[in-house]
Amino acid sequence: MSEQHHDAYENMTDKQKNRTIWSVITASSLGTLIEWYDFYIFGSLAVVLATKFFPADNPTAAFLSTLATFAAGFVVRPFGALFFGRLGDIIGRKYTFLVTLLIMGFSTFLIGCIPGYETIGYLAPVLVLILRLLQGLALGGEYGGAATYVAEYSQPHRRGYWTSWIQTTATAGLFISLIVILITKNTLSAEDFDSWGWRVPFWISILMVGVSYFIRKNMKESPLFAKAKSEGKTSKNPLKESFGNKFNFKFVLLALFGAAMGQGVIWYTGQFYAMSFLQKVMNINSMQVDYLMATALLMGTPFFVFFGWLSDKIGRKAIMMTGMLVAILAYRPIYDAMYKSVNIEAKTVANDGIKETRVATIHKTIATDSLITFHKETTFTDGTLIKKDSIVHWSATGPVMKDGKAEEPKVSTAITLNDDTRWYLVFLVFIQVIFVTMVYGPIAAFLVEMFPVRIRYTSMSLPYHIGNGVFGGLLPAVATYLVTSGKDAGHPTWYLEGLWYPIGVAAVCLVIGLIYLKNKNNNIHN
């Protein structure tokens, strides 16, 4: 039946093949989109989750711990690539990413069920970490299978175009995660969302996974793999053939250090770090950041398909290397412009634009103590609004003392932008998304074309997931650390320090890619 499936596909007209591949793309993309959604709601809610699963006495440490847990899911992805890639090259593409879909879906649902730190203590972050690791393992096996599956159905001259639809799913997953979060926030009160509503996006994923599972279950195996299996040409030891063979291993390393590494950091800079920068460095209202990011992502997503299509015409390398070069040169000016767009010193306070209140609440665990919240709202003539809360722990005898001094207040600031500034920031994030589409749109076809059918799933998955999972996944935590260190050291442009990580990694990748990569390789049938 496997060889008959291959022959039947080869004998189809181009019109029939197009119909078939659209059904393949739909099934593959839906499942991959849901897996990215599952993976990214954790990152999208990182600011909230930091207050739920980690000690609240040090907000910066809690946020860094949340980012580290988020990064752990990325770091483990290469292990998922090895494990599931091996299964995919032995058993088949279809059944492997059915398993990865189910693991991802149930792990995400369970994150939404874990009690908070105040209820079960350090068991909360431990359980979250375990589930994040399972998510990372599942995603490590998902992407390579989906990209390989679509590529093996594609006509050679349109492979960049067809596989680019899979590339849109990562951004679409992030976009949908933001939309679900926004709808949940708008439906519930701020208190309800903070109390339990943040769990809803995690719970919703189980419904989407169920639908995707039944769609994928009815898919057939890819024709190229079906033919190889029927002819007994599949690999019995994909790991050994992929990484034990010096010739093939050279291409694995080239794929990693000449393409995937740079693509990974540009992807996460343009989407996740941009979001974190707006929230944590610029202190913009989190809901407004969600709207801003969703708008920029929606505007930029069609360019994944455009650059995938263009790579069929002029080659993958030229587009990916250009995207890296422009990003390296533009990141610091773009982020400097982002930071300076909210220039409070240059604004004029409106008449009666300052409102101050003070609220005392009883401490949750110490009945004789109170938390005093000093709330200040400042409205400017251009419509910008700043809300600032300073929380002080006040005991029965006065302010709580620490090392002989009054305890420092915990200060939180949220800036609501006027329309002009908001659209300006949408534009600056959109430019970064264009960089992402240039490096990410063609890369699935590029990686698939580097390796033969018998070990393709394994060989392409590992460099992709090291590039994205390790180099890209570590970016939010490393960049946040560099920004914090720069600020503590009094560096005048401390807010730009986090960019040295993606710029450095992308620069190394650009040099290696320019020297060693070929522009195009259509040898997919081997």
Side-chain angles (χ1 to χ4, degrees), residues 248-287:
N248 193 77
F249 189 57
K250 179 184 74 173
F251 284 98
V252 171
L253 293 177
L254 189 56
L256 169 59
F257 294 111
M261 179 174 73
Q263 173 262 303
V265 294
I266 289 172
W267 204 103
Y268 292 107
T269 301
Q271 300 189 130
F272 268 106
Y273 185 62
M275 183 166 61
S276 175
F277 187 86
L278 291 166
Q279 287 183 333
K280 301 299 291 185
V281 177
M282 295 179 64
N283 296 314
I284 297 174
N285 176 283
S286 62
M287 186 176 291

Side-chain angles (χ1 to χ4, degrees), residues 45-56:
L45 290 171
V47 175
V48 177
L49 297 180
T51 67
K52 303 303 176 185
F53 295 130
F54 296 92

Side-chain angles (χ1 to χ4, degrees), residues 342-404:
V342 185
N343 185 4
I344 301 302
E345 289 74 16
K347 299 181 186 296
T348 304
V349 177
N351 292 330
D352 299 322
I354 298 178
K355 297 180 181 178
E356 296 181 289
T357 57
R358 186 176 73 170
V359 179
T361 55
I362 297 174
H363 197 282
K364 290 183 179 180
T365 57
I366 308 174
T368 58
D369 291 358
S370 299
L371 294 175
I372 310 296
T373 301
F374 297 91
H375 180 72
K376 181 179 180 180
E377 290 188 12
T378 305
T379 304
F380 296 89
T381 52
D382 68 350
T384 303
L385 171 67
I386 298 180
K387 294 182 180 180
K388 185 174 182 179
D389 286 334
S390 300
I391 302 176
V392 180
H393 185 192
W394 201 273
S395 70
T397 57
V400 171
M401 308 298 289
K402 192 173 184 179
D403 298 328

Side-chain angles (χ1 to χ4, degrees), residues 69-138:
T69 304
F70 181 60
F74 287 90
V75 173
V76 78
R77 279 166 55 179
F79 297 99
L82 291 174
F83 180 76
F84 290 109
R86 177 179 177 275
L87 289 181
D89 281 329
I90 294 175
I91 299 172
R93 288 48 165 138
K94 169 189 170 179
Y95 293 104
T96 302
F97 59 42
L98 272 178
V99 174
T100 61
L101 178 70
L102 293 176
I103 292 175
M104 176 67 81
F106 282 108
S107 298
T108 304
F109 175 77
L110 290 174
I111 288 177
C113 299
I114 296 175
Y117 178 85
E118 290 186 356
T119 305
I120 59 174
Y122 283 101
L123 185 58
V126 170
L127 290 175
V128 171
L129 178 60
I130 291 171
L131 292 172
R132 280 294 297 169
L133 294 177
L134 286 173
Q135 282 187 322
L137 287 171

